[in-house]
Amino acid sequence: MTLDRFIKIQYREDRARTERLRKMLRELGIECARTIEEKVDLQFSALLHLRESLEDDETFIKLVIANALISYQLNATGEEWWREFSEYFSRNPPGKSIKNAYAEFLRTSRTNRRLITGKLKRLQRIEPFLRELTLREMENYYGNMSGFRNDLSGVLGSKRTAKTIVFSVKMFGYACRIVFGHFIPYPMEVEIPDDIRINAYTRRFTDAPPVIFWNRLARDVGIPPLHIDSILWPVLGKHAEVRERLKKHCPQADLVLMLREI
């Protein structure tokens, strides 16, 4: 039995609604996702500011990886958390230990105050991996982001589909795009972050697990799941500045916003 056949048997799906979504995503395409990532996403803007302030590309990328891995159970929006991260480390570059730097940062953070002990333990586990990474190896990983996902999940003992693992791949891609100056699309096999907003939106179309639904849809429309996540971000988020930037920078803004009406 094929996977698609299994899905049709096991899961409810509103095929008419899914087809409207499929057509809209095909019309938007991967370049729309890239525009949203680079011109609309406030997290990308926060990384631009940090990189300019640090003037140390290797440390910059390592900080981005570390920060993505503890971007959960926040006390504010993701945009506010990444802005605080950028501002803090622009003023306080880390020393040899990123984990120790975060012990100071999280102690005073306004936007990430929950589960600090667990987050610091996670950084302690990943620190040897980050310490050994060279800028050349990071560039190689940029060309093999599936391999980066696999190695990251292996070091942490997490599932490859875990939300923070695939989100770390996304932010790693942002950082590398900034440092190395060229765009490499995310791999088709790296899943969409399965968070509350994606889970709720998926329920409009199917009761299948979001990862299964979006992986299949991604293949149909030719847009990798992490880029679909970027298109959905302004639609499912509540940040007014994101909506304003979308209308300013994205020629297809009206079509993007129509996704919330499906």
Side-chain angles (χ1 to χ4, degrees), residues 225-239:
L226 285 179
H227 289 300
I228 290 179
D229 182 64
S230 298
I231 293 172
L232 296 178
W233 182 263
V235 179
L236 305 182
K238 299 178 180 179
H239 207 292

Side-chain angles (χ1 to χ4, degrees), residues 171-190:
M171 298 308 290
F172 172 76
Y174 276 15
C176 290
R177 203 181 304 178
I178 291 168
V179 168
F180 302 119
H182 61 280
F183 171 71
I184 296 179
Y186 294 113
M188 192 65 75
E189 59 268 26
V190 177

Side-chain angles (χ1 to χ4, degrees), residues 126-138:
I126 200 66
E127 187 157 61
F129 173 77
L130 294 179
R131 187 181 296 118
E132 296 300 318
L133 272 183
T134 66
L135 196 60
R136 179 65 179 272
E137 289 169 332
M138 293 176 195

